[in-house]
Structures are given as C-alpha cells and as structure tokens.
Amino acid sequence: MKKVNISDFGAKNDGKFDNTAAFKAAFEELNKNGGGTLTVEAGKWATGPIDIPSDTTLELLEGAELFFLDDPELYPPAFTRWEGVEGWAMHALVRSADAKNVKITGKGTINGNGAKWWAAVKEKKARKQSKPELPCELALAKLNPGYENQAGGGGGRETQFLRPCLVEFINCQDVTVEGVKIIDSPFWTVHPLYVKNLTLKNLHIENPYSAPNTDGIDVDSCEDVKIIDCFVSVGDDGICIKSGSGPDGIRVNRPTVGVEVKGCTVRNAHGGIVLGSETAAGMSKIHASDCDLSGTDRGIRIKSRRGRGGDINDIELKNLVMNDTLCPIAMNMYYKCGITDTKSPLFSLDKMPVTSETPRIHNVKIIGCKGTGCKASAGFIVGLPEMPIENLEIRDCHFTTDETSDRSPMESDMFYGLPEVAVKSFRVRNAPGAKFENVTIEGPKEVFIYE
C-alpha cells in the first residue's frame, strides 16, 4: 500500500495556511492507488473539512496537530443524522462515508477549535433565536423541510445552526481510531453512524465542561463496537449509545447491537456511560466493565421518554467506580431535554396508550458497582406507568450519599412531571420486581423510596 506525506502536497504547518486542498489531493492520490497511509508530521496544520476514503490510514505522528478553521461557511451541507433525525447538517471536520477499512492512528492531536462555535450557540440561546438567520442556517433549512416539527435534544435544531461533529464515520465497515488526542469539538466529538466493526482504543477526548452538546463518543445505530482504555472529559454525555429518535429513528430501524466498553475513564460529563436519549430503533448486548466514572454528573445513565421509542435490553454494567457524582445510577423515562412544555402529556403520571413510540427498558444488570459522595441521591429508577422497567437486577453494590451537599434529589437527572422528593434516597418508581441483592446505601435516613 502506498504511503505519502502531507508535505508532499504543498501543505504548511504554520497554523495559518489553509491545507484543505492539500488533504483532498493527498487522499485522492491514495484512493487512486487503492489506498494507503497519509502521514502528518509534527506541526500545526490548519484546515477545513477532510474526507477519508476506503482502505486508508490517517497517521498523526507525535506533535502533529490538525487545527480546524472555525468559519461555518467552510463546512457545506452533508447528509447525516443530527440528534437522532436523518437530514443535512454541516460537514463533519473529519468524515468518512460509505467506506471500509479506515484508520486514524498515532500520537497526534485533532483540534476542533470549538470556542467560536460554543459562543455562537450560547449567544443564540441568550437572545432566544427561534428560526434560521445566517446563510448556512437558511441553506440547511431549505434542505430539511419540516425541521420545525422534528424532535431535538436541546442542540438548537430550531435555528438550523447544525454544528459539525469533529470525527464522523457514516455507513462504514472496519473502522479503527487509536492513540490520538481529540479536543475542543464544535458539537459531538466522535460519532460513528451505521458502522459495523468499530474499535476505539486509547483515545484522549477532552472538551470543556461548559462547552454545549459536546458528547465524547456517540455510538449511533452501529454493530460490533469495542471502546477500550479511553479517557473522556466533556461538556455533555461521555460514552453514549444511540439509535435514532422518534418516528424517524423508527423508520430507519437500525438498532445498536453489540457494544463492549472496558477500562475507560470518564470525567466531568453529564453522564459517564449513557444509553439514549435517542433510543428509537433499540439497543441490546451493551456491556461495560472496569471503568472509572467518578466526577461525572451521573455514572450510569439510561434516558428516554414517550415519543422516542425503542427496546433497550440485555444490558450489563459491571465493576464501575462512580465517586463524587450527583447520582451514580439514573434510569429516566421522563427525560426533558428538547421539550419546553412542562405540562406536556409526555410527562403524565397516568398510563398512556402503548404505541411504537413507547420506549421499553428490560433485562438490565448492574453488578459490583460503587460510589461515594453522591451529592443528589443514591439512585434514580423511574419507568413509565404503561411500560414499567422490567427484570432489573442490581447486586453487590455500595453507595454513600453526601448529606452535607446542597444539591437537591430533584437534580438526580433531567426530567419533568415527577413529584418532589426531599431525601437523597434511592428512588424507584414504575419498576416492579426490581431486584436489589447485597446493595448497601449509607447516608440517607430512608434508604429506598418506592413509588
């Protein structure tokens, strides 16, 4: 296989020169020759979006930094799935679509240069922008008819400022990302979508906690995934499993099946290991073990709501450390993000009709987990009255609440519609038959609250 160096294509590593054309030429050269390796040496290589073809390795040597320019107009519309709904969004910074045998390796850095993107989102929310304004937003709105009625997760679909992911693989097979540092993403950081046979290993993923919607890893309708020995510290969920949202995800009907997460560390995220809230096509055979999720808001987080759909089952989460969280285990079927109507029937405490958009959680095992200093509560398990959580087993676990913390039990997760509680107990609602075996909880006067 051919091996080329980015410098051979007129690229400059001064951090200012736009190397977009050089990367395009290099990958075209490799693709013409049946694949190979593009090596990027030490230095700061400024660029716009890049596309990696089949049978190609992007090798970032130690000291190499891909530094992405932060002008939205450089990232033209590309077809993807954005917060669970198929459509057009800004082209990912690093993208590989309809490809096989793709690798990103080395000890270099992929820098999304996200500060300007985050500031733009915060400014739009502050002045309550409710429709497209910028040329890039108007272009996407034209490509996404009916976007006003599509489900969202709070990222800003109403403005059509559909920020790019940092690294995105779409409809690919046999993908490996290993060793690199990935930082400061404009939006979701690593987003494999419709990928089969994926390995993410020894990655360092870091975004500021204040950076909006900057999930670490979002495994979206994929099969056979391994996430091994990665470090993630981000401004939203850490390692997340998804499969589409609501009617569109049900239409696509591609579940996530077979994910192993092992030996990972997650810090500062809204959730450590997360399932949802885009659950429409379902997910199964999700196994995580030997991870440290300390310092996250929630260690284990499973979230969905009426209208999102999906069957979540065959989940085993084992030997996880979750110190200094708000809540170590949160299973929430009243998830609120993306909804502004607090009185919506989506959050009714009454039984509602069961439809294809009713999510289901069953066959979940949480084993050998521990967490000290839980600030809001020892646990939060809330199913739907018409679709209770079934076959939940929690055993050999130990949790200690921080009774001096001023964080409310109502902060255990993000929800609407549930009655107030004032103690940091392990809350269980609509989960009949939940089995707790050798589970000890220290701190609250009332250990469990069953509703």
Side-chain angles (χ1 to χ4, degrees):
M1 301 289 279
K2 190 167 184 177
K3 190 167 185 176
V4 299
N5 192 301
I6 191 62
S7 298
D8 299 336
F9 297 85
K12 299 178 182 179
N13 62 353
D14 60 4
K16 298 178 182 179
F17 182 79
D18 183 353
N19 292 293
T20 307
F23 278 103
K24 182 179 180 181
F27 285 125
E28 286 178 348
E29 175 71 15
L30 290 174
N31 194 39
K32 182 176 66 177
N33 287 276
T37 298
L38 172 60
T39 298
V40 180
E41 296 178 338
K44 188 173 184 178
W45 307 85
T47 184
I50 66 175
D51 290 271
I52 306 176
S54 291
D55 301 309
T56 299
T57 296
L58 173 61
E59 180 186 39
L60 303 178
L61 300 184
E62 188 169 5
E65 178 181 350
L66 299 187
F67 183 78
F68 284 88
L69 302 170
D70 57 9
D71 180 359
E73 298 298 335
L74 295 176
Y75 301 89
F79 193 78
T80 182
R81 175 188 268 172
W82 202 88
E83 284 195 339
V85 178
E86 283 193 339
W88 295 82
M90 296 182 197
H91 188 295
L93 280 54
V94 178
R95 188 174 192 260
S96 187
D98 305 310
K100 62 179 179 63
N101 190 25
V102 174
K103 297 181 180 180
I104 301 175
T105 64
K107 296 183 178 181
T109 299
I110 303 175
N111 185 344
N113 188 24
K116 183 178 176 180
W117 300 92
W118 311 326
V121 172
K122 292 175 181 178
E123 186 271 337
K124 292 172 186 294
K125 289 186 176 181
R127 61 182 175 85
K128 299 182 180 179
Q129 180 184 336
S130 60
K131 61 182 181 180
E133 296 174 355
L134 297 173
C136 61
E137 297 168 352
L138 293 167
L140 289 171
K142 188 175 182 180
L143 290 168
N144 294 323
Y147 71 87
E148 302 93 336
N149 300 314
Q150 292 174 343
R157 189 183 302 278
E158 68 280 0
T159 70
Q160 289 291 281
F161 188 66
L162 306 183
R163 289 166 283 158
C165 294
L166 182 37
V167 179
E168 188 168 57
F169 303 96
I170 303 176
N171 195 32
C172 292
Q173 184 170 337
D174 301 327
V175 174
T176 298
V177 185
E178 182 173 1
V180 295
K181 186 174 184 179
I182 308 175
I183 63 172
D184 292 350
S185 178
F187 183 59
W188 293 356
T189 308
V190 178
H191 181 215
L193 172 66
Y194 312 145
V195 174
K196 185 172 184 179
N197 191 19
L198 167 71
T199 299
L200 305 176
K201 187 174 181 181
N202 291 324
L203 302 181
H204 182 109
I205 297 172
E206 191 165 0
N207 305 311
Y209 182 73
S210 60
N213 315 109
T214 54
D215 296 19
I217 297 170
D218 288 291
V219 176
D220 200 348
S221 292
C222 296
E223 300 178 52
D224 302 326
V225 177
K226 290 181 173 60
I227 304 172
I228 309 295
D229 296 335
C230 293
F231 175 88
V232 178
S233 179
V234 292
D236 207 314
D237 288 325
I239 298 172
C240 196
I241 314 301
K242 300 178 180 292
S243 64
S245 181
D248 190 72
I250 293 169
R251 174 190 63 81
V252 174
N253 192 30
R254 296 184 68 167
T256 290
V257 180
V259 179
E260 178 185 2
V261 182
K262 189 171 184 179
C264 294
T265 299
V266 183
R267 297 283 186 265
N268 300 321
H270 292 182
I273 293 174
V274 183
L275 282 65
S277 64
E278 295 90 336
T279 56
M283 50 194 70
S284 62
K285 299 182 181 177
I286 313 298
H287 301 153
S289 62
D290 304 313
C291 297
D292 187 340
L293 314 176
S294 299
T296 59
D297 290 348
R298 296 121 200 133
I300 295 167
R301 192 183 197 195
I302 302 176
K303 53 179 177 171
S304 192
R305 64 168 175 258
R306 295 175 175 116
R308 297 234 150 178
D311 188 314
I312 303 167
N313 73 93
D314 189 6
I315 312 300
E316 183 175 279
L317 309 168
K318 188 174 181 180
N319 298 335
L320 308 178
V321 177
M322 301 175 284
N323 298 327
D324 301 316
T325 64
L326 287 175
C327 177
I329 301 171
M331 299 174 63
N332 175 17
M333 299 287 264
Y334 283 76
Y335 183 65
K336 73 179 185 181
C337 288
I339 301 289
T340 57
D341 180 8
T342 62
K343 304 298 183 182
S344 168
L346 294 173
F347 308 109
S348 173
L349 297 178
D350 298 327
K351 283 188 177 182
M352 305 295 283
V354 174
T355 72
S356 62
E357 296 179 17
T358 305
R360 182 187 181 196
I361 300 174
H362 60 113
N363 300 335
V364 178
K365 293 182 179 180
I366 299 173
I367 303 168
C369 297
K370 61 182 181 179
T372 61
C374 305
K375 300 177 182 68
S377 72
F380 178 91
I381 307 290
V382 179
L384 295 170
E386 69 271 19
M387 188 63 73
I389 296 170
E390 301 174 303
N391 298 328
L392 169 63
E393 177 183 342
I394 301 178
R395 60 181 169 89
D396 301 328
C397 294
H398 180 265
F399 304 109
T400 302
T401 58
D402 178 0
E403 294 299 311
T404 67
S405 172
D406 61 359
R407 305 302 291 268
S408 165
M410 300 297 284
E411 296 180 73
S412 296
D413 204 4
M414 302 171 182
F415 56 83
Y416 288 139
L418 299 177
E420 294 270 348
V421 294
V423 291
K424 301 179 187 295
S425 309
F426 201 120
R427 186 177 191 178
V428 183
R429 183 185 186 96
N430 296 325
K435 182 179 180 182
F436 294 85
E437 180 181 326
N438 191 29
V439 175
T440 57
I441 297 171
E442 299 179 21
K445 294 179 181 179
E446 189 176 359
V447 175
F448 286 94
I449 298 177
Y450 290 97
E451 304 173 28

